[in-house]
Amino acid sequence: MFDSLLFTIMLVVFLGVLSQWLSWRIKLPAIVVMSVAGIIVGPVLGIIDPSQEFGDLYGPIISMAVAIILFEGSLQLDFREIRDLGKPVTRIVTVGAFIAWILGSLAAHYVAGLSLPVAFVIGGLFIVTGPTVILPLLRQAKLKPRPSKILKWEGIIVDPIGVLLALFAFQIILFFMDETVSLGSLLIFFAAAGFATLLGWGCGRGMGWMFEKGYIPEYLKSPVLFSVVLLCFTLADEVMHETGLLSVTAMGITMANMHIASIGNMRHFKENISVLLISTIFIMLTASLHIETFYEILNPAIIGYVLLMLFVVRPLSIWLSTIGTDLSLQEKALVGWIAPRGIVALTVSGYFASVLTDTGFEDAQLLTALTFALVFATVCAHGFSIGWAARRLKLANDQGPGVIVVGGNSFTNALVATLTEMKVPAVLVDSSWRKVAAARQSGLPTFHGEVLSEQTEYQLDMTPYESIIMASESDAYNSLVCSSFTPTFGIKHLYQTAPDIARDADLEGLTHSVGGRILFNNETPLQALIQRVDAGQVFRKTLLTKQFSAKEFMNEINEEDILVGLLKASGRFDPIATDSEFSLEPGDTVIRLSSALKEKEKIKQSKE
């Protein structure tokens, strides 16, 4: 009834996105959920087999998707991000990768039973981690900046390096085994790698120059960039298979470090595309496996090899390569443990399994089972343990979700002071040094800078913060910032004070189309809040208990009080907006702006 290519495409896309959503809801690694979903509809139930149904298009579709994902990841590699981590990152992607290649190859030979030529090919490929798996894990774990940056950079840069090492090992095999292959073939390999790098650099510089000069209109920037990425990848790949990954990585890094004004909008577009592609491709790959592959995975030699890669090869390569760097023991331990393999390993190993078998290496048929065993084991082991390991090593932001408050004034100073007192991560941000200085003198956490500036992205770690409260004197600026951060934080977590319609009636229509959620109520703009604080009103904190219920609390407050926010028993702080729907439960703390006289009266009554 549903035996059609259209149904297969629909099911693959739907299951991929559903897996992403389900993993978000149940707090599981998305890669794990996608793998399970693909296995169920593929080899278990036999509903679809994408490799058969897509036919000759199966390989090119996956290759182009990987190219776009890798470019999107490399578009985030701004060298300013690792000013203090340049040495360990360089060591890990060079010395560490080489050590992992040698150790992994020896393990594949002596433990998995592969011949030395096949072992060195697959050993080079297995050093890759890749943005398809590492970026979703980092998003989930919320690590501290240093280990997060190291894992991100390694995952993106090592992807093409691993493929090149595998290609290099394959060329060496052909050189010694095939009399028709001469030294010139090796030189062609290095020339092809150099061409791919130069092509990526040239495409990146060319696109950046056209964007900066205005030769491409805004509405065409993302489509043009999308097509040039595919062009860059395909040209390099046609010269030599798999060098296209190196080309798009070079293109992305080049554009990331040109500091193009509109790179942020393009990055958000690419991120959305990447999430869709990662979801789709992982379902396709796992659904295309055969049930015989799972029987092969149970081979003790394969299990032993996977355990050796997990607990010996990866940790040892990281510890040896980072000797003499400033990484702490905890950072080395975490980076040495986290190395999930993903789409690149699965796709490229299939290519090498085919060409090595054709060359005469019968043991290469084992590569598919070996690769999937390593991918699934690392994805599950690292996906489930990264949060736990980071917390045990004190490398995770273990505080409750925090708040960035933008705009320095008496109201925001008092709000940040109250949140800090309640152990909620909060920071006051303003581009005016005078306004920041007033808060700093009070001992409040502050950041001096323009929140929309690209520099702020690298100087202010936003990982601990889930919400932004805009409370500057400019209502239009508040709306602009909320709109700018919508792709990053989501509209649910962006708040701004009510616009002062009496002062500027033109703003009435603006806030309905752009901006964040209006705080408290529509009748209390920022100036009114500042006047309340200046007049002596304070933030009162009321803990709800079984004895003092929500009903009693609501009876206590009066019309002059403003409900500001709700600190849940879990440590989560939620500002109260005009459209908020919340329930008060025992253990919650309600924050309200109220008269100081009432606070004094309450203290006096409690003493009596």
Side-chain angles (χ1 to χ4, degrees):
M1 179 179 179
F2 297 109
D3 187 16
S4 69
L5 183 59
L6 177 62
F7 174 76
T8 301
I9 295 173
M10 178 280 299
L11 188 60
V12 165
V13 175
F14 176 76
L15 284 177
V17 177
L18 179 64
S19 299
Q20 291 275 7
W21 176 82
L22 189 61
S23 66
W24 169 76
R25 290 290 298 178
I26 61 179
K27 307 299 181 184
L28 281 178
I31 301 297
V32 174
V33 179
M34 288 186 288
S35 299
V36 173
I39 292 171
I40 291 175
V41 299
V44 174
L45 299 180
I47 298 176
I48 58 173
D49 184 352
S51 62
Q52 295 294 324
E53 296 171 36
F54 281 87
D56 293 339
L57 291 176
Y58 179 76
I61 288 175
I62 292 180
S63 296
M64 288 191 296
V66 171
I68 294 169
I69 294 167
L70 196 56
F71 172 76
E72 188 275 325
S74 60
L75 201 61
Q76 303 177 37
L77 300 185
D78 192 319
F79 290 119
R80 294 176 298 182
E81 188 179 54
I82 54 167
R83 286 172 179 169
D84 58 335
L85 293 171
K87 186 176 181 180
V89 168
T90 303
R91 288 276 197 89
I92 288 173
V93 301
T94 53
V95 178
F98 181 77
I99 294 173
W101 178 33
I102 300 301
L103 294 180
S105 301
L106 294 177
H109 175 63
Y110 289 106
V111 178
L114 298 178
S115 60
L116 272 176
V118 176
F120 271 90
V121 171
I122 204 64
L125 180 61
F126 283 169
I127 71 171
V128 304
T129 53
T132 60
V133 284
I134 198 65
L135 294 184
L137 291 188
L138 295 179
R139 213 176 289 127
Q140 165 207 349
K142 294 186 177 180
L143 303 180
K144 289 186 177 179
R146 282 172 59 90
S148 178
K149 291 175 183 177
I150 291 172
L151 289 170
K152 183 180 77 172
W153 276 74
E154 181 205 8
I156 295 170
I157 292 179
V158 169
D159 246 21
I161 291 178
V163 175
L164 288 178
L165 284 177
L167 283 172
F168 175 70
F170 181 65
Q171 293 297 322
I172 294 293
I173 292 171
L174 293 180
F175 177 72
F176 285 105
M177 291 193 59
D178 193 339
E179 296 180 355
T180 61
V181 178
S182 62
L183 184 62
S185 299
L186 289 178
L187 296 177
I188 292 174
F189 164 75
F190 289 110
F195 168 76
T197 305
L198 288 175
L199 177 63
W201 176 83
C203 289
R205 294 293 299 181
M207 292 303 300
W209 178 77
M210 294 182 71
F211 286 169
E212 289 179 329
K213 295 297 182 180
Y215 290 124
I216 301 177
E218 288 295 327
Y219 76 96
L220 277 181
K221 282 185 177 180
S222 292
V224 169
L225 185 62
F226 182 87
S227 61
V228 173
V229 168
L230 295 181
L231 173 67
C232 180
F233 170 78
T234 304
L235 289 179
D237 209 61
E238 288 296 316
V239 173
M240 177 165 285
H241 197 56
E242 303 300 347
T243 57
L245 298 179
L246 178 63
S247 186
V248 294
T249 302
M251 179 179 174
I253 294 176
T254 300
M255 295 191 68
N257 290 277
M258 290 181 69
H259 309 138
I260 305 168
S262 57
I263 197 73
N265 294 332
M266 290 184 291
R267 187 183 295 128
H268 292 314
F269 169 77
K270 289 289 184 180
E271 286 175 354
N272 294 335
I273 293 294
S274 292
V275 169
L276 182 61
L277 291 177
I278 290 173
S279 309
T280 303
I281 299 306
F282 226 90
I283 295 292
M284 288 178 61
L285 289 172
T286 51
S288 299
L289 294 171
H290 300 291
I291 200 68
E292 292 79 11
T293 304
F294 295 95
Y295 296 135
E296 293 178 356
I297 290 175
L298 300 178
N299 185 333
I302 291 181
I303 295 175
Y305 172 76
V306 170
L307 293 175
L308 202 62
M309 291 291 288
L310 280 170
F311 296 104
V312 178
V313 173
R314 170 65 179 184
L316 193 59
S317 65
I318 295 299
W319 282 82
L320 291 177
S321 63
T322 54
I323 293 175
T325 65
D326 62 347
L327 292 186
S328 66
L329 294 177
Q330 292 86 350
E331 289 171 335
K332 290 181 181 180
L334 183 64
V335 175
W337 168 242
I338 301 301
R341 277 67 169 186
I343 290 176
V344 173
L346 282 173
T347 55
V348 181
S349 70
Y351 163 74
F352 281 115
S354 175
V355 296
L356 285 170
T357 302
D358 293 342
T359 308
F361 295 97
E362 296 296 331
D363 57 331
Q365 297 176 358
L366 194 63
L367 292 187
T368 300
L370 192 68
T371 305
F372 184 76
L374 185 62
V375 168
F376 196 72
T378 55
V379 163
C380 290
H382 300 152
F384 284 111
S385 66
I386 185 171
W388 174 85
R391 288 190 295 271
R392 291 297 298 267
L393 295 170
K394 298 182 179 180
L395 294 176
N397 290 296
D398 51 1
Q399 293 178 300
V403 183
I404 297 175
V405 182
V406 181
N409 50 67
S410 57
F411 168 74
T412 54
N413 288 355
L415 176 59
V416 172
T418 302
L419 294 176
T420 304
E421 180 184 341
M422 301 177 71
K423 308 300 182 184
V424 177
V427 61
L428 181 69
V429 179
D430 201 297
S431 58
S432 169
W433 178 254
R434 176 180 58 82
K435 295 178 180 179
V436 169
R440 182 172 294 182
Q441 289 172 1
S442 302
L444 301 178
T446 61
F447 177 82
H448 175 234
E450 170 54 58
V451 71
L452 290 176
S453 171
E454 191 177 359
Q455 292 292 335
T456 301
E457 182 180 348
Y458 303 105
Q459 296 173 3
L460 176 63
D461 176 26
M462 295 189 178
T463 306
Y465 307 106
E466 185 181 61
S467 305
I468 293 181
I469 291 179
M470 288 302 306
S472 76
E473 296 176 355
S474 172
D475 295 319
Y477 176 70
N478 293 341
S479 297
L480 173 64
V481 173
C482 288
S483 297
S484 300
F485 279 97
T486 298
T488 306
F489 285 80
I491 191 63
K492 180 182 178 182
H493 302 293
L494 296 169
Y495 303 86
Q496 66 181 97
T497 53
D500 193 348
I501 305 300
R503 184 181 62 184
D504 192 346
D506 293 337
L507 290 173
E508 185 173 8
L510 174 66
T511 56
H512 294 296
S513 56
V514 297
R517 302 167 66 188
I518 302 301
L519 283 169
F520 318 142
N521 55 66
N522 290 310
E523 290 77 31
T524 313
L526 177 64
Q527 289 303 319
L529 296 171
I530 294 175
Q531 290 172 7
R532 282 173 173 258
V533 174
D534 292 343
Q537 291 196 10
V538 295
F539 288 97
R540 296 177 59 183
K541 305 178 288 291
T542 304
L543 175 64
L544 302 181
T545 64
K546 292 182 178 179
Q547 291 74 28
F548 186 74
S549 65
K551 182 178 180 181
E552 292 173 306
F553 168 76
M554 296 303 294
N555 291 332
E556 178 186 282
I557 63 175
N558 56 44
E559 296 180 354
E560 296 180 0
D561 292 345
I562 294 179
L563 296 181
V564 174
L566 185 65
L567 180 64
K568 303 295 290 185
S570 62
R572 179 190 186 89
F573 174 74
D574 291 320
I576 294 178
T578 55
D579 60 349
S580 293
E581 295 181 3
F582 58 90
S583 58
L584 302 178
E585 302 172 354
D588 295 344
T589 301
V590 185
I591 305 173
R592 53 176 163 153
L593 187 60
S594 184
S595 171
L597 294 175
K598 294 180 181 179
E599 181 72 14
K600 293 178 181 178
E601 291 176 0
K602 183 179 178 181
I603 295 174
K604 182 178 178 181
Q605 291 174 0
S606 63
K607 288 181 178 180
E608 292 175 351

